Amino acid sequence: MRNELLSWFAREGLLLTSVATSVSEEEEDDEVKVVLKAPPIALSRADRDFRECPDPVEYGYPADCLEYMLLEDMHHFVMSWLEQAVRAGMARCFVCNRVLDMGEERPWDAVFVSDPFYCWLVAHFDCKRYLNRDLRGRNPFEVQTAPPEYLGSYFDA
Ligand SMILES: [Zn+2]
């Protein structure tokens, strides 16, 4: 992830921070490790399905777009990315784990959750009420976030 994108999340107050101290026998070697992470996108609730937020610039946004993008704009962008992921058959409902499709009327919604951590995910409208149960106890630093698939070709279609 580009530093500019990471800074954008910092500006919006959405960076996840983890501070770990590893204590070694030699006192002066103690290390404090700070890990900063932008909110991930969950293509399903499986650990392997967490992705880093894609970069709007890679999807044709102007190079300086992050200077004026609001959180609402980012939600809109991520929503478009998730729609393409659904079209590609890559996304599952976070609650019932069924593969999502666009249906006659899109039967699912993209949700930005803030508890226990910031994360975008997708779930059926009917499943959303069970989200809290499935989010409980999760720690974003325990999941490996993979780089997002480039779905630009779907945007052009
Ligand atoms: Zn569902």
Side-chain angles (χ1 to χ4, degrees):
M1 180 174 287
R2 285 190 303 142
N3 278 336
E4 286 83 351
L5 188 50
L6 209 55
S7 306
W8 185 88
F9 281 111
R11 192 184 81 195
E12 297 292 322
L14 297 175
L15 271 195
L16 313 166
T17 314
S18 149
V19 182
T21 316
S22 60
V23 182
S24 62
E25 284 178 15
E26 315 270 326
E27 215 168 277
E28 57 269 31
D29 288 344
D30 286 3
E31 251 186 73
V32 178
K33 199 175 163 200
V34 180
V35 181
L36 299 173
K37 205 168 173 176
I41 300 176
L43 287 172
S44 87
R45 62 180 181 213
D47 284 355
R48 64 172 182 282
D49 279 338
F50 282 74
R51 299 290 184 271
E52 287 171 12
C53 181
D55 194 326
V57 170
E58 288 177 24
Y59 287 86
Y61 282 58
D64 63 350
C65 66
L66 292 171
E67 284 168 31
Y68 53 82
M69 268 181 90
L70 304 173
L71 181 55
E72 207 176 309
D73 304 320
M74 188 62 84
H75 285 322
H76 186 79
F77 167 69
V78 171
M79 178 69 178
S80 315
W81 189 85
L82 280 165
E83 278 196 2
Q84 307 316 319
V86 168
R87 288 206 167 87
M90 289 162 41
R92 289 171 178 270
C93 173
F94 198 86
V95 175
C96 71
N97 206 37
R98 277 181 294 164
V99 176
L100 294 169
D101 60 45
M102 295 301 282
E104 302 229 333
E105 288 173 51
R106 201 190 67 203
W108 54 271
D109 201 8
V111 187
F112 187 62
V113 298
S114 57
D115 185 27
F117 57 90
Y118 294 112
C119 175
W120 283 279
L121 55 83
V122 276
H124 290 110
F125 288 113
D126 293 341
C127 290
K128 271 162 63 170
R129 72 185 108 150
Y130 302 110
L131 264 180
N132 283 348
R133 180 195 66 190
D134 289 324
L135 282 163
R136 207 175 296 144
R138 283 178 174 264
N139 176 344
F141 293 96
E142 284 170 5
V143 295
Q144 289 293 325
T145 314
E149 286 81 356
Y150 180 69
L151 296 171
S153 52
Y154 289 89
F155 281 79
D156 300 335

